[in-house]
Amino acid sequence: MSRFDAIRTDRAKPEPAPGPPAVAAPPGRTPARVGKKAVGGYYSPHLSQALNILALEQNTSLQALLGEAIDDLMRKYGKHPFGER
Amino acid sequence: MQTIAIVSQKGGAGKTTLAVNLAAEAARSCISLIIDTDPQATASRWSQWRGGGDPEVVDCGAPSLLAGKLAKAADLGADLAVIDTPPHADAMARQAARLADLLLIPCRPRAFDLAAIEATAELVRSSRKPAFVVFNAGPPRAPHVYREAASLIGGEFGLQIAPVVLPERAAFHHSAAAGRTAPEHDVQGKAADEIRALWAWAREQLGLSTCAQAVMA
């Protein structure tokens, strides 16, 4: 039995990281959005449609696609990507 | 407990070599462990080759688990955690940088490697943690190479440079394959001196001059 055996078993059950205190989701807000900020812009309906089609084609969500696009943008400008999806 | 994160976007920069040598040197006087966040699990494999023992290697598969694992390691009496991060790690590298007390960036003093450090430089700046480039796997006797590399890294990227260099030494190759470290492979070798000097400097940076509990190697 090694000293740190207890930590090895953690993999299967993620737990909330300590840090900012956990905040209950306000009414009407999905828990996945708690502690997150919306980032957006206004574009043409064609652009919006094209993004949604791409998400369907790639079997993913708009949220994940935008995270991917932001990582590419970070790399283009020599910044470290965030890897958020 | 103090935490060192070894970060670099570039693969093959020597992150795991630095992590295992530093953590094992620390384990001679402190309770240290390695948190292996690399999906390739190189540090974990080294520990298997070693047949277990100190420093223990604990893997961490997701950035969301890292804070909890560090907190528990501290509860279990660890003095030092060394986080080995994978290359091209976006969320994991950011989380490791956020949670660490000291960031070490191994880098070969070569043009392609130096250029690739730009994204890592941005990561460490945004983390606002003390961060140092550790020159690694360069020629043992070529001071001008290190001077040129240092002026690029200090000037263009605004990063600090660790005062100890780890040049290319056969001891790192021979020892890793046997699940050992350079000082364990040849206690009187140059690589051993350099690892001891690097740990002495790092523990000074972390204020770890006295560990809670001395352990025998």
Side-chain angles (χ1 to χ4, degrees):
Chain A
M1 167 97 184
S2 324
R3 179 183 287 266
F4 299 109
D5 274 351
I7 320 180
R8 294 178 206 280
T9 58
D10 280 4
R11 184 183 266 192
K13 39 179 174 109
E15 56 191 299
V23 185
R29 184 180 289 195
T30 38
R33 292 183 186 174
V34 176
K36 303 278 175 74
K37 286 194 76 165
V39 174
Y42 283 85
Y43 301 97
S44 67
H46 297 300
L47 186 150
S48 167
Q49 190 180 36
L51 273 178
N52 280 296
I53 289 169
L54 184 61
L56 275 173
E57 285 172 354
Q58 298 299 319
N59 193 27
T60 186
S61 64
L62 205 52
Q63 162 87 24
L65 272 187
L66 289 176
E68 191 180 331
I70 289 164
D71 281 351
D72 286 348
L73 184 72
M74 290 290 159
R75 287 191 192 95
K76 178 182 165 188
Y77 288 103
K79 308 288 185 192
H80 197 284
F82 283 79
E84 292 187 22
R85 296 290 184 266
Chain B
M1 186 184 78
Q2 296 290 301
T3 303
I4 297 178
I6 315 277
V7 292
S8 166
Q9 278 286 83
K10 189 105 170 72
K15 286 184 285 294
T16 303
T17 302
L18 180 58
V20 301
N21 276 275
L22 213 51
E25 189 56 32
R28 289 163 48 80
S29 57
C30 296
I31 296 173
S32 72
L33 82 159
I34 297 169
I35 311 261
D36 186 5
T37 67
D38 188 344
Q40 290 187 355
T42 317
S44 302
R45 199 167 308 153
W46 171 83
S47 184
Q48 284 167 5
W49 292 339
R50 191 176 179 77
D54 289 323
E56 284 186 50
V57 178
V58 166
D59 58 11
C60 178
S64 60
L65 291 172
L66 190 55
K69 292 216 178 205
L70 287 172
K72 281 190 192 158
D75 287 346
L76 292 168
D79 297 306
L80 176 76
V82 177
I83 308 173
D84 186 20
T85 64
H88 315 296
D90 307 337
M92 186 62 92
R94 284 207 183 260
Q95 181 70 341
R98 195 174 75 77
L99 296 169
D101 303 293
L102 174 66
L103 309 181
L104 297 181
I105 308 152
C107 181
R108 292 167 185 257
R110 298 193 180 107
F112 294 139
D113 298 74
L114 293 167
I117 222 166
E118 186 182 6
T120 309
E122 191 276 329
L123 169 79
V124 304
R125 271 199 304 274
S126 65
S127 75
R128 297 196 178 113
K129 295 291 173 64
F132 295 85
V133 170
V134 180
F135 285 130
N136 180 48
R141 278 183 294 276
H144 63 283
V145 167
Y146 295 100
R147 271 199 301 275
E148 284 172 17
S151 85
L152 178 78
I153 283 188
E156 196 165 324
F157 302 136
L159 287 170
Q160 293 179 280
I161 293 153
V164 181
V165 170
L166 302 177
E168 180 76 18
R169 305 261 184 225
F172 289 114
H173 300 277
H174 295 311
S175 60
R180 293 161 74 82
T181 63
E184 290 165 353
H185 173 76
D186 178 6
V187 72
Q188 293 181 329
K190 287 179 176 160
D193 287 344
E194 286 147 3
I195 288 297
R196 282 192 290 266
L198 186 68
W199 167 237
W201 166 81
R203 72 185 298 169
E204 197 73 20
Q205 293 293 316
L206 293 167
L208 263 179
S209 48
T210 49
C211 283
Q213 188 183 343
V215 290
M216 294 304 291

